Amino acid sequence: MVKFFISLSFIIILFSKTDDPGNGIYYARVSEEEVYFKVTVEKGLAILEFFLDKKTKGEMNGQVKSGQIFFSDFSIKNEVYDLVFKNGEGHLISKNQDKPKFIKVEPVTKRIDLSLVDISKLIRNNLAPDLVGDWVMIYNLSPDGVVIDDEIKGKNYKVRYSENGSYILDPNAIRDNMPRELVKNFSFSDIPTATWRTEGNNLVINITGITEASESKSVFLIKSDTLLTTSVQGYTTVHVRRK
């Protein structure tokens, strides 16, 4: 029980970090057009980058006032909109008085370090942008929330979710957990090939290598710089983002 409270407290501390609510990448579908927006707010200045029709990119400045982020006169398919963010929600509001439109802008990720072109590719390939990057495995939790003293704890093994869909596990994790008699003959060719994809909140990893192919599924949850992946059996791996 003591271990459970320690691990739970650690997760709460990691999850307590909050991001600027204005910064992020958003998506909307306007007149059959896919539009991606990146909003960056710093010191009262709002900057909007946009990517539409899979080829058009641009940038414009906006205003931050009374808790709202406001971009005026944004054109899509010869129609003019105002883009407004308030209370964490965004909307495109048309200026056409005869046929007014009110289109919700959906949040995609807080990862403003990713380009809009890359974001659109990730979405099309079923790769959650928030997972992209390097993570360090901290420890495993049993289904009842107890920290497991296993081969992961204290080793700081790394995993990488690449933008091209490759899943790369720390070679040290593979070497350290090979049978003792095989370690001396360890080669990078022993590392299996793996890919990843997401289906909603489900993470799917496919592994192929010298053994037969396998597929694993888990539920993932990301908050700030903490990643939790929970297997079908109820075991959870806690990761932190490597910077």
Side-chain angles (χ1 to χ4, degrees):
M1 182 61 70
V2 173
K3 289 184 178 180
F4 171 72
F5 282 120
I6 292 174
S7 61
L8 182 59
S9 299
F10 180 67
I11 293 172
I12 290 173
I13 290 171
L14 292 174
F15 276 22
S16 65
K17 179 181 176 182
T18 57
D19 299 306
D20 186 325
N23 292 339
I25 293 178
Y26 304 83
Y27 166 86
R29 193 168 186 84
V30 185
S31 300
E32 302 305 316
E33 194 81 71
E34 292 184 350
V35 189
Y36 290 88
F37 307 93
K38 180 189 288 188
V39 178
T40 307
V41 180
E42 185 175 355
K43 297 180 180 179
L45 176 64
I47 300 175
L48 176 71
E49 297 176 51
F50 55 89
F51 177 66
L52 56 92
D53 196 26
K54 300 180 183 178
K55 59 184 178 183
T56 304
K57 294 183 289 184
E59 184 176 304
M60 63 189 301
N61 293 329
Q63 297 178 330
V64 180
K65 189 175 182 180
S66 301
Q68 295 189 51
I69 306 171
F70 186 85
F71 300 95
S72 181
D73 300 333
F74 183 83
S75 297
I76 305 175
K77 290 290 187 179
N78 299 318
E79 189 159 359
V80 181
Y81 298 83
D82 287 335
L83 177 56
V84 181
F85 293 89
K86 182 179 180 181
N87 298 326
E89 293 188 352
H91 293 89
L92 282 165
I93 305 170
S94 71
K95 290 192 170 184
N96 187 332
Q97 298 299 321
D98 296 328
K99 296 181 179 179
K101 293 181 181 178
F102 194 74
I103 303 171
K104 186 174 182 180
V105 177
E106 303 288 347
V108 175
T109 179
K110 291 286 187 180
R111 295 281 304 279
I112 58 175
D113 59 307
L114 297 173
S115 74
L116 291 181
V117 176
D118 290 338
I119 287 288
S120 64
K121 291 179 181 178
L122 291 170
I123 297 299
R124 289 199 301 272
N125 291 322
N126 297 316
L127 303 173
D130 285 338
L131 265 172
V132 171
D134 293 342
W135 298 86
V136 178
M137 293 186 287
I138 304 301
Y139 54 72
N140 286 323
L141 293 172
S142 67
D144 56 358
V146 176
V147 176
I148 303 173
D149 190 12
D150 59 8
E151 68 277 2
I152 289 179
K153 185 182 177 184
K155 296 296 182 64
N156 293 327
Y157 292 137
K158 297 180 290 295
V159 293
R160 173 177 294 175
Y161 297 92
S162 300
E163 294 181 39
N164 63 5
S166 296
Y167 173 80
I168 303 172
L169 179 62
D170 194 327
N172 291 324
I174 298 173
R175 183 195 61 195
D176 293 350
N177 292 283
M178 292 178 68
R180 186 179 298 275
E181 64 272 15
L182 297 179
V183 172
K184 61 181 180 180
N185 296 320
F186 175 77
S187 168
F188 281 100
S189 62
D190 296 323
I191 300 175
T193 300
T195 60
W196 70 280
R197 70 180 189 276
T198 50
E199 300 171 351
N201 291 326
N202 294 310
L203 169 64
V204 182
I205 296 177
N206 287 282
I207 300 176
T208 56
I210 55 177
T211 59
E212 61 182 78
S214 65
E215 179 179 275
S216 67
K217 290 187 178 182
S218 60
V219 176
F220 74 95
L221 171 66
I222 298 175
K223 183 67 174 181
S224 187
D225 290 330
T226 304
L227 164 66
L228 305 179
T229 57
T230 302
S231 70
V232 176
Q233 294 78 21
Y235 290 88
T236 298
T237 304
V238 180
H239 312 66
V240 293
R241 190 180 295 279
R242 187 183 184 210
K243 297 182 178 180

